[in-house]
Amino acid sequence: GTPEQTEMFWYLVELFTESDSNKDGIITKRGFAPIMEKLFETPKKLALVHRDEALQHHMYEEDEKKKEAFQDTLFKANIPRGDLKMTLDEWISFAMEMYEKLI
């Protein structure tokens, strides 16, 4: 990959490890909300537009209940095993896909 992709990979690993409170290599739904906020922090500051209308709306959503419901949907949709535990590989795949839609 490119140097930018490598840097993004390590940034996503850092976000994941910060959200993995018990360091078991898994984040749960509770850890997903803060990691999503951090993921979209820079795009929001730069006022980037996401190609996915639902994600664009989520990035700027003020209503906490709506934001939580959308994050819950995203979380469940990106865990192929359906066990409500997101691994680092699943997180990297999901987050890279989100960022690719921004560029």
Side-chain angles (χ1 to χ4, degrees):
T2 67
E4 293 84 5
Q5 289 170 325
T6 301
E7 187 166 339
M8 175 59 86
F9 173 83
W10 288 112
Y11 172 67
L12 295 174
V13 169
E14 182 180 327
L15 288 180
F16 185 90
T17 52
E18 287 174 2
S19 295
D20 181 10
S21 58
N22 62 356
K23 306 300 180 216
D24 64 353
I26 291 174
I27 56 171
T28 60
K29 189 169 71 167
R30 188 177 67 170
F32 189 69
I35 202 171
M36 286 297 293
E37 289 300 314
K38 288 181 182 179
L39 179 66
F40 289 126
E41 195 172 84
T42 300
K44 284 170 46 174
K45 284 181 185 176
L46 298 174
L48 295 177
V49 176
H50 202 288
R51 290 183 217 151
D52 183 315
E53 191 174 311
L55 279 169
Q56 173 67 22
H57 182 72
H58 166 73
M59 282 173 53
Y60 298 100
E61 179 62 65
E62 296 295 324
D63 184 312
E64 288 300 317
K65 294 230 183 260
K66 287 180 182 177
K67 185 184 288 189
E68 186 177 310
F70 187 73
Q71 288 173 347
D72 186 49
T73 301
L74 279 178
F75 183 74
K76 289 176 181 175
N78 287 282
I79 301 171
R81 293 173 318 284
D83 62 359
L84 301 182
K85 296 176 182 176
M86 183 175 272
T87 65
L88 175 61
D89 290 341
E90 291 163 346
W91 163 248
I92 297 289
S93 177
F94 165 76
M96 289 297 261
E97 183 180 325
M98 296 300 100
Y99 259 87
E100 284 173 7
K101 291 179 182 177
L102 285 168
I103 308 171

